[in-house]
Amino acid sequence: MKKLFIRLASVLAILPALVACSSEGTPSVVEGTLVGSDNVKIYLEQNSLSSSQITDSAVVKPNGSFRLQGAIQTEPTFYSLRLSDGRAMTVLLDSAQTLRLSLDASAPLLVRGARFENSPRNENLQKIQVGASDILAGLKNGGAPDSLRRVIANYKEDIRRQILSDPQSMVGYYAVFQTVMGSRVFDVMNRDDQKVFSAAATSLRIAYPRSEQVNHLCDYILQARAQARAIARRDSLLQSATTSNSPDLNLPNRDGQQVALSSLHGKNVILSFWASDSRASRQMNAQLRKLYKKYHDKGLEIYSVSFDTSRVLWEEASDQDGITWHNVCDLAGAMGIASRVYNVTQIPANYILSTDGTLIGKDLFGTRLDEKMSELFK
């Protein structure tokens, strides 16, 4: 027993050292020269999706040399090299890599004067940054629209070729999110550009499945596809609308039964959008209750669409307001299909539809709504 205790104690004694060794690694390093200036401070910042963190800084030596140390990392990571005067450029560092380069202090754009030693991916990254700068310069100088379009088209084609020739390079991630004056060069909603996004995401996910940037890219594409499907559904509804310009809706009522707006054709309809927590909506419901009682036998129907996300609140408010007409809700709130199809930007809102579905009024409340109903049923 004593020997067993001694052996166990020995194992426990060396365990912290083993853990420490397993967490250690070799940080990435940038070594270079800054030609044309010395005694300048240079910073190395690690870039993440949410922030940038300075990992090292150094004063350039009289011979122009500097050495900066990055973080310990498991995958290619973007860093910014920044001079004390604010000029900066982006570089890509692999884990345990020593990147060697020279910079020209006289270059207005730091990246334009960079020269890399045996780093093709950073050369590609440099081309992307320089190309974006050329586009920006053309915009600022008021270049001819046709000429700028050609420059942008050529720039995108160059990037497309880069990504397809080296799809597992993280440069592809940087490229598809490149912006000029706040606008992205590649549009994920554009069918041609989608191919570039997908090519980069597919290969990078295989190479770096745990990368924060790669997961961000994949999520971004999935969200774009979901948005495209929503737009397609909206367009489908718009195309299925009657020639009288009122898109159809088909939403569940309190009993879970689907009620189509088109089922009310042949009647004059008030299409109403409301929510239980909107005081103005509740006031509108009070007016609708009076109008329904007065004109329902003459052919008035009301189709109320609630923007509630809580069934309890929707049903409670419906009971309190005495809603006995068609009352539907998909519990999707303002993100529901109804708000997008009818472009509802605030509530309450209403549309007045004639017997053939023609839109004959919008957002009429109070005396204006009373007068419209009196006109329809005189």
Side-chain angles (χ1 to χ4, degrees):
M1 178 65 73
K2 185 176 181 181
K3 291 182 179 179
L4 178 61
F5 177 79
I6 292 173
R7 289 176 183 173
L8 181 59
S10 300
V11 171
L12 292 175
I14 65 173
L15 186 59
L18 291 173
V19 172
C21 289
S22 68
S23 64
E24 290 178 357
T26 305
S28 50
V29 171
V30 178
E31 291 182 348
T33 57
L34 180 64
V35 180
S37 181
D38 58 25
N39 204 34
V40 172
K41 198 164 188 179
I42 187 167
Y43 301 85
L44 182 65
E45 298 176 347
Q46 184 182 20
N47 298 328
S48 67
L49 290 177
S50 57
S51 63
S52 295
Q53 180 179 2
I54 295 176
T55 61
D56 200 4
S57 63
V59 175
V60 177
K61 295 179 180 180
N63 64 358
S65 67
F66 62 87
R67 186 180 190 277
L68 297 166
Q69 184 170 294
I72 297 172
Q73 59 201 52
T74 58
E75 60 215 1
T77 302
F78 293 104
Y79 286 81
S80 292
L81 274 174
R82 179 169 57 82
L83 302 183
S84 52
D85 62 8
R87 286 179 293 167
M89 61 179 285
T90 300
V91 295
L92 181 66
L93 299 182
D94 281 324
S95 55
Q97 175 194 19
T98 296
L99 175 66
R100 294 180 174 85
L101 77 163
S102 65
L103 300 172
D104 185 354
S106 66
L109 186 67
L110 189 63
V111 69
R112 194 180 291 274
R115 296 293 180 269
F116 295 94
E117 181 181 314
N118 193 29
S119 183
R121 287 182 172 175
N122 272 292
E123 290 174 352
N124 287 336
L125 186 58
Q126 178 186 32
K127 291 175 185 177
I128 293 171
Q129 295 175 78
V130 170
S133 174
D134 290 340
I135 294 173
L136 180 60
L139 290 171
K140 287 183 176 180
N141 294 332
D146 288 343
S147 176
L148 280 173
R149 277 194 288 269
R150 284 194 299 272
V151 170
I152 293 173
N154 291 336
Y155 175 70
K156 291 177 68 172
E157 183 56 33
D158 287 342
I159 292 178
R160 186 178 285 107
R161 282 197 295 265
Q162 272 191 35
I163 292 174
L164 296 179
S165 64
D166 189 10
Q168 291 193 334
S169 169
M170 285 293 290
V171 175
Y173 172 86
Y174 183 92
V176 294
F177 287 114
Q178 180 65 283
T179 61
V180 175
M181 294 188 70
S183 297
R184 289 210 171 108
V185 176
F186 285 89
D187 180 5
V188 72
M189 302 302 288
N190 178 282
R191 287 189 176 183
D192 290 333
D193 291 354
Q194 282 175 6
K195 298 174 183 177
V196 180
F197 277 94
S198 296
T202 301
S203 298
L204 287 173
R205 191 159 199 173
I206 294 172
Y208 311 109
R210 297 181 181 179
S211 167
E212 180 186 33
Q213 282 88 357
V214 173
N215 287 323
H216 167 248
L217 173 59
C218 293
D219 289 343
Y220 183 77
I221 294 172
L222 290 175
Q223 291 171 8
R225 288 174 178 170
Q227 183 180 355
R229 287 194 295 269
I231 292 173
R233 287 196 299 270
R234 181 201 65 191
D235 291 345
S236 176
L237 284 170
L238 290 172
Q239 289 173 4
S240 67
T242 64
T243 56
S244 52
N245 73 19
S246 59
D248 198 9
L249 296 173
N250 193 14
L251 300 171
N253 62 16
R254 292 177 59 172
D255 296 325
Q257 298 173 333
Q258 298 292 126
V259 180
L261 178 61
S262 58
S263 68
L264 305 181
H265 283 177
K267 305 283 188 178
N268 288 299
V269 178
I270 299 176
L271 172 59
S272 167
F273 299 93
W274 70 289
S276 63
D277 61 353
S278 164
R279 183 178 179 182
S281 291
R282 308 296 292 277
Q283 292 172 341
M284 181 184 70
N285 284 344
Q287 183 181 15
L288 293 179
R289 185 174 64 249
K290 294 176 182 178
L291 292 174
Y292 188 71
K293 182 178 180 180
K294 184 175 182 179
Y295 296 113
H296 176 60
D297 290 342
K298 297 182 179 181
L300 174 66
E301 291 289 354
I302 301 176
Y303 189 93
S304 285
V305 180
S306 169
F307 281 5
D308 281 292
T309 56
S310 166
R311 174 174 291 277
V312 172
L313 294 178
W314 167 45
E315 293 184 349
E316 184 179 72
S318 298
D319 290 338
Q320 291 174 354
D321 294 354
I323 296 180
T324 57
W325 52 87
H326 297 290
N327 181 22
V328 297
C329 180
D330 59 8
L331 301 178
M335 297 303 293
I337 189 68
S339 66
R340 296 197 297 271
V341 169
Y342 279 89
N343 193 30
V344 179
T345 57
Q346 63 181 13
I347 52 173
N350 63 45
Y351 292 79
I352 315 301
L353 310 177
S354 67
T355 55
D356 62 357
T358 301
L359 177 63
I360 56 175
K362 179 181 178 182
D363 291 341
L364 303 179
F365 304 102
T367 56
R368 294 180 63 201
L369 181 56
D370 288 337
E371 291 170 356
K372 188 65 177 180
M373 292 300 103
S374 178
E375 173 188 325
L376 286 174
F377 296 105
K378 61 183 178 181

